[in-house]
Amino acid sequence: AWLFLPPCPFLTRQLLCCSTMAAVAVVLARRRRGGGGGLAPTPRERISEDRRKEIDAHMNHMREMEVLYKLFRQYDTNKSNKLEADNVKNLLRDLNGVDPTEEELKFIMKLCDDQCANNAIDLSELKHAIIAWRDYCKNREKMQEALDKYDKSGTGKLEREELKAYLVELNGGIDVTDYEVDWVLAQADVFGDGACSKPELAKATAAWFTYVEERKHKGCCVVS
């Protein structure tokens, strides 16, 4: 996410989230008024290349903040300074034209409520939620196919041994170790039930390929 909050007690995090929204509102209001302290801007040609890059990055950041802030306000229909489950459901549906299932909604809520833990999505968590949902939607059908293939127990999720079989397929038919299965499960088990639901399976898949790439860079061949 574009805003990173330091570790702090719950109430302090809540205050920081509220102050962040207030600060964004002030900055955007000043921009709309054209406020700049009364000083003429330095001509671009007189600014060093490094400084220009810093300015461009800052302006891109401000544009992103403005988009996120407007989007947040649009879906914060009860003006609570947070997006609750029904607000997030509407947002996710409008982003991709896909209605999230109850499981998918809970997944996004739990995964992205990581800055101001309050069972809602705050402004500081909005970008994370948007990216997570879009990435998941790209692989939604593939995850359903994998679930249909490997969910031998019929629980609607992959238990540990079923996940192992799925990882073996990703690994080109080469066996995977118990350590590797446990590591992937630890990365993906957002719900903490020791198994992978469909949205968690997308996270498990990404974690596996990240693991493979890291092993390759270390000179340990995992796949043929």
Side-chain angles (χ1 to χ4, degrees):
W2 56 266
L3 176 66
F4 297 93
L5 299 179
C8 52
F10 175 77
L11 289 178
T12 304
R13 287 200 301 266
Q14 291 297 93
L15 290 173
L16 283 171
C17 286
C18 291
S19 358
T20 297
M21 295 187 64
V24 172
V26 169
V27 170
L28 297 180
R30 287 177 178 172
R31 286 186 62 195
R32 284 192 290 268
R33 291 197 304 267
L39 298 176
T42 303
R44 189 174 177 86
E45 61 272 13
R46 294 176 55 188
I47 302 174
S48 69
E49 182 178 352
D50 287 344
R51 180 56 181 155
R52 285 199 299 270
K53 289 180 179 178
E54 290 179 5
I55 293 173
D56 289 342
H58 174 72
M59 294 305 297
N60 289 336
H61 174 66
M62 291 302 300
R63 281 190 286 270
E64 181 181 88
M65 287 173 63
E66 185 168 5
V67 170
L68 289 172
Y69 180 75
K70 288 180 177 178
L71 196 61
F72 189 88
R73 282 303 186 195
Q74 177 183 343
Y75 287 91
D76 180 21
T77 53
N78 62 355
K79 309 303 179 186
S80 62
N81 289 335
K82 60 186 178 183
L83 301 185
E84 294 161 345
D86 56 338
N87 307 129
V88 176
K89 182 177 182 179
N90 292 335
L91 169 65
L92 299 182
R93 181 196 61 226
D94 293 345
L95 284 174
N96 284 65
V98 175
D99 277 311
T101 64
E102 183 177 351
E103 181 180 65
E104 290 167 342
L105 178 60
K106 287 181 178 178
F107 173 77
I108 293 296
M109 296 289 292
K110 193 168 182 63
L111 176 69
C112 302
D113 184 21
D114 57 354
Q115 296 291 334
C116 301
N118 56 358
N119 297 316
I121 299 299
D122 298 279
L123 180 59
S124 61
E125 300 158 343
L126 181 57
K127 182 178 178 181
H128 185 192
I130 291 172
I131 292 174
W133 176 244
R134 286 182 171 169
D135 286 347
Y136 168 69
C137 285
K138 291 175 185 176
N139 298 292
R140 198 185 197 199
E141 292 184 6
K142 290 181 180 179
M143 294 305 100
Q144 185 61 57
E145 291 171 2
L147 198 62
D148 293 341
K149 182 176 181 179
Y150 288 100
D151 179 23
K152 304 300 183 182
S153 58
T155 60
K157 58 185 72 174
L158 296 191
E159 307 297 334
R160 187 183 180 283
E161 289 305 310
E162 295 167 339
L163 175 63
K164 183 175 183 178
Y166 172 65
L167 294 179
V168 168
E169 179 183 300
L170 295 184
N171 203 32
I174 301 173
D175 197 20
V176 298
T177 66
D178 288 340
Y179 167 81
E180 290 168 336
V181 177
D182 291 338
W183 182 85
V184 169
L185 189 56
Q187 303 303 308
D189 188 13
V190 173
F191 294 133
D193 57 2
C196 278
S197 62
K198 185 168 74 172
E200 289 172 318
L201 191 57
K203 199 170 191 305
T205 304
W208 173 254
F209 285 122
T210 298
Y211 173 77
V212 169
E213 286 302 313
E214 289 177 352
R215 289 289 298 271
K216 283 182 179 179
H217 288 315
K218 291 178 181 178
C220 299
C221 183
V222 177
V223 295
S224 58

